[in-house]
Amino acid sequence: MTLLRYQSVDVSVTDTTTTHYFNVESGTVAFDEGWTPYLQANLTLTLPMLDGRPPSLDTSALEALDPRNKLRMLLVATLYEYDEATGTLTSQDAVSASLAISSRTIDWKAGTVAVTLTTDEFSLQTEANRTTSSISYRAHQSSLIAVVNAVLADIGTTATLGASSVDADVTTAQELTNLVPDPRTQSSASVTDVFGTSSKNANNNTSVSINPSGKFQQATWAAATTGPGLWFCGNTSNTVSVTGGILFAALSIDCNAAVTANITVDQFDSTGHEIASTVICSQAIASGTWTRLSGTLALRSNTAAICVAATASGARAAGFQMNISSMLVCVNPLGAYETDDTTELAYWDGTTTANEYYTYSWDGTANASTSTRTPVVDRSPDSLAVSPGESYWDMLDPVLAAAGLSLFCDENGVWRLVDGSSYSAPGTAIVQQSNATALQDAVTLTDPTTVYNSVVVKYTWTDVNGITQTRYDAAGDGSPTQLVEFDSRPYPGPGAAAYILSKGEGRGRVMTTTALNDFAVRPYMGARIVAPYTQTQTGIVSAVRFDLASAEMSLTTRGLIDTPAGAWTLAPDTVTWDDGDTTTTWDALEDDFSNLT
């Protein structure tokens, strides 16, 4: 029986009125797990002409190929087998994809048009933040799937991630210091200064003490006063040093009369001169009811120190009492919010119990010093923000790498978020004597970009204070070492180096194979290479490149291992372990799996 193989390639573009068909002279269609976009095609088309004598240029067809029109090209490449004995023509596997046109080049002398086609990741790479403010995706940070879906919606893609996508928590964290030395007033030495009547420095016959049961400060004014208050973070004669940014202040307050309670911030320059006094929160509170107050203030550029007070508006009778507790004052780039941009900053001090995101400690003596919350995972909040002019892919790329995941859109338009080191596609690409046209077997340790036993990832960016920041992530202890750099991107946390290293395992041996086109082959499929005078190699398809002119494909593999005859992995894809029975033994198979099929 003689089988003849045929290949057809059809391409077309549909505009508002017409479907234009083009002749393909040559080209390549490549799928690569390491590329973005995942599918990239480069085709040389015959310059479209209208029928007639003399022939004339089909300008509308040529216009349809202009990338600025954002039309899509339908590419259908099909293999056929013709059985000469029976006269039967059977279609085999095909590549069928609606692709974006990313470039067009006309060669008038040759009479051809070169076009580059891609899957929809191209939109992530070209769509950018066209506003003057950063676009944050931290509201979705507990789910990378949610982050990606939000980004896809923002670039105008109606698709969402496929159901089999792998999720990851990419919650960011911000190190902050509570500037209040004893925010729950556990020590009598921590009672704050009070004021009233005409001066912020006059105590106006006031007593201040620690409430013995509730551990809060309790101030009582013996005489009538106006605008009484309690300093709880420094005072006018003992200010607290700060650098620029957004100040957040909060406390719990209770008074023995219904009042309007306020938080007031005084700012001082480097000479100690008061440059501003601002009420950042004003709220009516009921008598005898603990109420949480909070507010923010953008500090002036020349502010060097502050002090913060809780006050009550208006005239107060003798015996007026104010209680305060759980004070929090910090400089937070995100203002009043946690890194999700929606939840108000939670109170902490050095005794707060650690959680999955932060540990907490006193910066000095317990209950007599500032306290800092430290991220368990150093993941900058800016890593989930797209800066003005920046592409959406520039933000996603390092976040995906740190999470150990790959994002791609397949030829069917399905977006997938996968663990590239474990994700697999069905089927096995087999290269052997019957279909191979070329095979090279190389072992090298001299190219750290393709063969590496350790990885270092470097992140460099400028923070909100204009300071250049650098972070490193590393994995592996062998050589050679691959260096990967992300410029102008905040640190998204550790993980990228380990992920890149895992994808590079087994690359010390590289087999470059060329075989007859098999349009069913895709990255992440199994790979089996039967080479002469050596054991069969099995691994994973990393990339496949179909040459439409020669009808040959080039395979790139990863993770190749020597596989002896009779290994289970060499069984046909249709065979499963359950196909055996209780009488079947491994030795009895003798490399023959036919009795299991």
Side-chain angles (χ1 to χ4, degrees):
M1 180 179 69
T2 301
L3 290 177
L4 302 178
R5 301 175 84 246
Y6 296 90
Q7 173 183 288
S8 72
V9 182
D10 301 300
V11 295
S12 61
V13 178
T14 301
D15 58 23
T16 55
T17 60
T18 307
T19 298
H20 304 278
Y21 296 91
F22 301 88
N23 178 61
V24 179
E25 295 191 6
S26 63
T28 60
V29 178
F31 297 81
D32 192 323
E33 66 169 346
W35 281 359
T36 301
Y38 160 77
L39 188 166
Q40 299 180 39
N42 294 279
L43 306 180
T44 299
L45 312 176
T46 303
L47 197 65
M49 306 297 289
L50 295 171
D51 294 333
R53 294 291 184 271
S56 59
L57 181 67
D58 188 342
T59 55
S60 62
L62 196 61
E63 179 68 14
L65 296 177
D66 190 325
R68 293 169 296 184
N69 295 323
K70 297 187 177 181
L71 299 178
R72 301 182 71 83
M73 176 169 281
L74 177 63
L75 166 68
V76 180
T78 310
L79 287 175
Y80 296 91
E81 285 189 352
Y82 178 71
D83 188 335
E84 286 188 324
T86 63
T88 304
L89 182 66
T90 306
S91 63
Q92 303 298 309
D93 297 295
V95 173
S96 179
S98 174
L99 302 172
I101 303 172
S102 62
S103 72
R104 181 200 72 179
T105 303
I106 302 171
D107 187 330
W108 296 107
K109 182 178 180 180
T112 59
V113 184
V115 293
T116 300
L117 312 174
T118 71
T119 39
D120 285 349
E121 302 98 320
F122 179 67
S123 296
L124 284 175
Q125 295 175 316
T126 56
E127 288 294 324
N129 176 3
R130 295 187 288 271
T131 72
T132 57
S133 302
S134 292
I135 299 174
S136 171
Y137 292 92
R138 291 187 294 267
H140 309 285
Q141 63 185 357
S142 63
S143 166
L144 186 51
I145 287 178
V147 170
V148 173
N149 282 335
V151 170
L152 292 178
D154 282 352
I155 67 171
T157 301
T158 57
T160 55
L161 287 173
S164 62
S165 293
V166 178
D167 208 355
D169 185 344
V170 291
T171 297
T172 61
Q174 181 77 55
E175 179 177 304
L176 296 173
T177 296
N178 187 349
L179 300 174
V180 182
D182 186 8
R184 286 196 188 271
T185 317
Q186 303 296 296
S187 168
S188 59
S190 300
V191 294
T192 52
D193 293 335
V194 297
F195 59 85
T197 310
S198 59
S199 172
K200 293 179 180 178
N201 297 313
N203 65 25
N204 195 226
N205 193 23
T206 307
S207 65
V208 183
S209 63
I210 299 177
N211 181 280
S213 59
K215 293 296 184 181
F216 54 84
Q217 291 190 50
Q218 187 175 78
T220 305
W221 279 260
T225 185
T226 301
L230 276 166
W231 294 113
F232 63 89
C233 184
N235 56 54
T236 52
S237 59
N238 186 24
T239 58
V240 176
S241 298
V242 293
T243 55
I246 302 176
L247 186 78
F248 173 76
L251 81 162
S252 296
I253 186 169
D254 169 44
C255 298
N256 64 351
V259 298
T260 296
N262 315 291
I263 296 177
T264 300
V265 178
D266 287 7
Q267 300 180 70
F268 302 83
D269 63 19
S270 58
T271 68
H273 175 70
E274 183 174 334
I275 55 177
S277 180
T278 309
V279 175
I280 65 170
C281 175
S282 185
Q283 181 176 334
I285 64 172
S287 174
T289 302
W290 282 98
T291 303
R292 191 71 176 166
L293 301 185
S294 64
T296 60
L297 176 67
L299 296 174
R300 297 191 178 189
S301 59
N302 61 335
T303 296
I306 58 157
C307 54
V308 188
T311 66
S313 297
R316 300 292 116 201
F320 175 71
Q321 189 176 83
M322 177 187 293
N323 306 314
I324 62 172
S325 184
S326 304
M327 292 82 79
L328 174 61
V329 177
C330 63
V331 177
N332 181 19
L334 303 179
Y337 300 110
E338 297 285 356
T339 61
D340 62 3
D341 295 325
T342 56
T343 305
E344 185 170 286
L345 279 176
Y347 169 82
W348 81 86
D349 61 34
T351 63
T352 302
T353 303
N355 55 43
E356 61 182 311
Y357 300 116
Y358 296 102
T359 59
Y360 303 87
S361 62
W362 296 105
D363 299 322
T365 303
N367 300 311
S369 66
T370 59
S371 52
T372 297
R373 70 175 200 183
T374 304
V376 173
V377 176
D378 184 8
R379 186 179 291 127
S380 170
D382 289 336
S383 66
L384 289 179
V386 184
S387 300
E390 187 177 44
S391 78
Y392 291 87
W393 180 250
D394 286 341
M395 181 273 289
L396 278 178
D397 188 22
V399 173
L400 293 166
L405 299 176
S406 297
L407 174 68
F408 68 95
C409 179
D410 66 21
E411 68 266 37
N412 299 313
V414 178
W415 288 83
R416 303 181 188 277
L417 184 59
V418 303
D419 181 343
S421 60
S422 61
Y423 176 73
S424 63
T428 301
I430 301 175
V431 178
Q432 54 192 357
Q433 184 177 358
S434 61
N435 67 342
T437 59
L439 174 62
Q440 290 184 331
D441 187 350
V443 177
T444 178
L445 295 177
T446 60
D447 185 0
T449 63
T450 58
V451 181
Y452 41 85
N453 291 306
S454 56
V455 177
V456 174
V457 183
K458 179 181 180 181
Y459 301 85
T460 305
W461 76 102
T462 302
D463 66 18
V464 294
N465 296 316
I467 300 172
T468 299
Q469 299 282 355
T470 302
R471 296 286 191 280
Y472 292 94
D473 183 28
D477 55 9
S479 61
T481 299
Q482 184 184 43
L483 174 64
V484 179
E485 297 186 73
F486 287 104
D487 292 327
S488 302
R489 282 308 310 165
Y491 184 53
Y499 180 60
I500 295 169
L501 182 63
S502 71
K503 294 288 291 294
E505 288 179 351
R507 283 187 175 173
R509 184 175 190 179
V510 177
M511 281 193 166
T512 305
T513 62
T514 305
L516 299 176
N517 273 347
D518 178 356
F519 288 149
V521 176
R522 296 290 184 274
Y524 301 110
M525 290 177 62
R528 185 183 309 162
I529 302 173
V530 183
Y533 313 114
T534 185
Q535 285 188 326
T536 296
Q537 296 294 301
T538 57
I540 304 296
V541 176
S542 180
V544 57
R545 178 180 178 271
F546 300 109
D547 189 313
L548 303 179
S550 66
E552 293 178 328
M553 65 179 182
S554 300
L555 285 183
T556 301
T557 58
R558 60 177 168 90
L560 290 178
I561 58 174
D562 291 336
T563 308
W568 176 256
T569 191
L570 298 181
D573 291 334
T574 56
V575 174
T576 68
W577 193 260
D578 291 336
D579 290 328
D581 56 36
T582 56
T583 64
T584 302
T585 65
W586 189 262
D587 290 338
L589 291 177
E590 296 182 344
D591 306 346
D592 179 10
F593 300 99
S594 60
N595 63 323
L596 296 179
T597 58

